[in-house]
Amino acid sequence: MKKTISIVIPCYNEEENVIPLANALRTCFQEKLKNYHYELLFIDNDSQDKTRENLRALCREDKGIKAIFNAKNFGQFNSPYYGMLNSTGDATILMAADFQDPVEMIPKFVEAWEEGYRIVIGVKTESNESKLMYALRGIYYKLIRKMSSVDQISQFTGFGLYDKGFISVMQSLDDPTPFLRGIVAELGYRRKDIPYTQPKRRAGVTHNNFYTLYDAAMLSFTSYTKVGLRLAVFLGGIFAGISMLVGLLYLIMKLIWWDRFPAGMAPMLIGMLFLGSVQIFFIGLLGEYILSINQRVMKRPLVVEEERLNFSEQAKQATGESSTSKQAISEDSSSKQPGQDACESGSLEQPAQNESSSEEV
């Protein structure tokens, strides 16, 4: 019986990418992964463009393609994680919808998985996007690795293959704010890292901004480091000792040179402002930890679904199957995707598949 590979694709306003990506993935399975069934699972985070319309067309055309429509935008971490929990394949691959995770990496992931690695991840060695952002991410990863008690993975976005055994581990976690990169580093099985160069987005614009990047940074910082709170304790103790010492010296000098040593307001103001700023900084840092704790204890669901497509029993049994000679949804010449060289064919004809996976998570 053929194994099933699930591909989970989170998307938000990716109307120009979802059809070309689905076609590229089906071509890849047709040419490079003939011995596997596929399950393409798109999870839409409340897109405001034609993404859902395109996904409905894909699901009508191919029962091996599934879709989950979230009731609202539940963030960049919850939605992909929830999609992975709903995959049914023997292995699950998480990738972005914008072609920045190359399709040609998938056969390499599957090959390493068949060698016995239960987790195979892509690690960026270079990026064709902003050099500044790539450099800043590199600095962040170095800092978080030094501060974390868990050996964090540098330049890892979540793009990779995960065996169904690890998906079961993810399902057992009761975490309403999961951070997949940290979970892989902390709880993951023996893994293989495969380097790749991150290409530019095929179409559209990035949805990351300062707030989303800050949110990602603070989630990993508060989830996997103790250094913030420890630093507050140590610096608080050091500055308290220094303040007491300076205060004692001022008292002694004033007693010795009573008439010639005016204490003045400047030292007091400087000391107060400095200590006040340090206190405010660490109160804010403590607030980030409390916010992370608060989100976890509320036990809210990862996402709330509005609709799901092709998840009926019949569709589950037909995972990876499609009608003979069924043509892929056409795309114009301008929609040719990067990475198609490795898995490209002239027409995307999905062959009939008589076997289906009976495995479900």
Side-chain angles (χ1 to χ4, degrees):
M1 182 175 289
K2 291 183 179 180
K3 297 179 180 179
T4 298
I5 306 296
S6 297
I7 313 289
V8 175
I9 306 120
C11 46
Y12 175 69
N13 291 345
E14 299 287 355
E15 61 179 357
E16 298 179 82
N17 291 322
V18 290
I19 291 177
L21 181 59
N23 290 342
L25 289 170
R26 290 186 289 187
T27 303
C28 192
F29 274 88
Q30 180 180 342
E31 296 186 350
K32 303 293 184 180
L33 299 170
K34 298 178 180 179
N35 296 323
Y36 299 89
H37 293 307
Y38 63 77
E39 176 190 59
L40 307 186
L41 173 53
F42 290 88
I43 179 163
D44 180 72
N45 218 3
D46 195 26
S47 293
Q48 303 302 309
D49 58 3
K50 295 183 179 179
T51 299
R52 294 193 173 187
E53 180 180 330
N54 293 340
L55 290 178
R56 291 181 192 279
L58 285 168
C59 290
R60 284 194 301 267
E61 183 247 348
D62 187 347
K63 295 304 180 182
I65 299 178
K66 301 180 179 181
I68 296 175
F69 296 158
N70 294 343
K72 58 169 290 185
N73 191 322
F74 287 93
Q76 59 179 323
F77 301 116
N78 288 21
S79 188
Y81 195 90
Y82 184 78
M84 294 176 71
L85 298 186
N86 281 273
S87 63
T88 62
D90 298 282
T92 297
I93 294 174
L94 177 67
M95 66 185 304
D98 57 9
F99 284 92
Q100 287 196 289
D101 296 336
V103 174
E104 61 265 25
M105 292 286 288
I106 292 177
K108 298 179 183 179
F109 289 164
V110 175
E111 181 181 358
W113 175 57
E114 292 290 8
E115 291 174 359
Y117 293 96
R118 304 182 75 175
I119 296 177
V120 188
I121 63 173
V123 176
K124 293 184 292 183
T125 55
E126 191 177 349
S127 176
N128 293 328
E129 288 291 303
S130 170
K131 301 296 182 183
L132 176 61
M133 288 304 300
Y134 182 78
L136 290 176
R137 284 193 180 98
I139 294 172
Y140 163 74
Y141 285 123
K142 289 179 181 178
L143 289 175
I144 203 71
R145 290 189 71 178
K146 289 182 178 296
M147 293 186 294
S148 176
S149 56
V150 177
D151 187 17
Q152 299 293 320
I153 309 169
S154 298
Q155 298 297 351
F156 169 54
T157 62
F159 176 44
L161 178 148
Y162 307 92
D163 183 81
K164 64 180 180 181
F166 183 69
I167 299 297
S168 298
V169 172
M170 293 170 57
Q171 291 173 330
S172 68
L173 299 178
D174 187 17
D175 189 351
T177 57
F179 186 64
L180 179 62
R181 306 172 204 177
I183 293 171
V184 171
E186 182 182 17
L187 305 177
Y189 298 103
R190 183 171 65 101
R191 72 173 192 268
K192 182 175 183 178
D193 300 353
I194 300 180
Y196 73 100
T197 299
Q198 184 185 51
K200 292 183 178 180
R201 285 181 61 94
R202 177 190 173 276
V205 296
T206 180
H207 307 297
N208 281 326
N209 51 42
F210 174 78
Y211 180 79
T212 58
L213 294 175
Y214 176 80
D215 190 44
M218 292 310 301
L219 179 59
S220 62
F221 185 84
T222 56
S223 297
Y224 292 97
T225 68
K226 301 176 182 177
V227 66
L229 298 177
R230 297 285 168 80
L231 192 62
V233 173
F234 295 149
L235 288 183
I238 291 171
F239 287 133
I242 293 174
S243 299
M244 291 177 64
L245 180 60
V246 170
L248 181 61
L249 289 175
Y250 261 78
L251 176 62
I252 294 173
M253 294 170 71
K254 183 64 178 178
L255 292 175
I256 295 176
W257 299 290
W258 184 267
D259 297 326
R260 293 178 296 165
F261 187 77
M265 292 296 296
M268 295 177 61
L269 287 174
I270 293 172
M272 289 177 62
L273 292 174
F274 176 73
L275 292 177
S277 63
V278 171
Q279 288 175 342
I280 291 172
F281 172 78
F282 283 111
I283 288 172
L285 184 61
L286 183 60
E288 291 288 350
Y289 280 95
I290 294 173
L291 178 62
S292 178
I293 295 170
N294 183 57
Q295 290 175 333
R296 285 176 164 83
V297 300
M298 285 191 294
K299 300 295 182 183
R300 289 178 175 171
L302 288 170
V303 305
V304 176
E305 293 185 22
E306 181 178 298
E307 184 181 0
R308 53 170 54 197
L309 304 177
N310 286 349
F311 275 85
S312 65
E313 289 303 319
Q314 293 81 5
K316 288 182 180 179
Q317 293 171 4
T319 297
E321 297 181 6
S322 61
S323 301
T324 305
S325 301
K326 182 175 288 183
Q327 298 292 328
I329 295 177
S330 61
E331 46 184 299
D332 58 32
S333 57
S334 65
S335 65
K336 187 175 181 180
Q337 60 273 15
Q340 193 172 355
D341 295 337
C343 302
E344 182 175 16
S345 68
S347 66
L348 273 174
E349 186 172 311
Q350 176 64 26
Q353 298 172 348
N354 296 321
E355 296 176 282
S356 63
S357 172
S358 61
E359 300 271 2
E360 289 189 15
V361 177

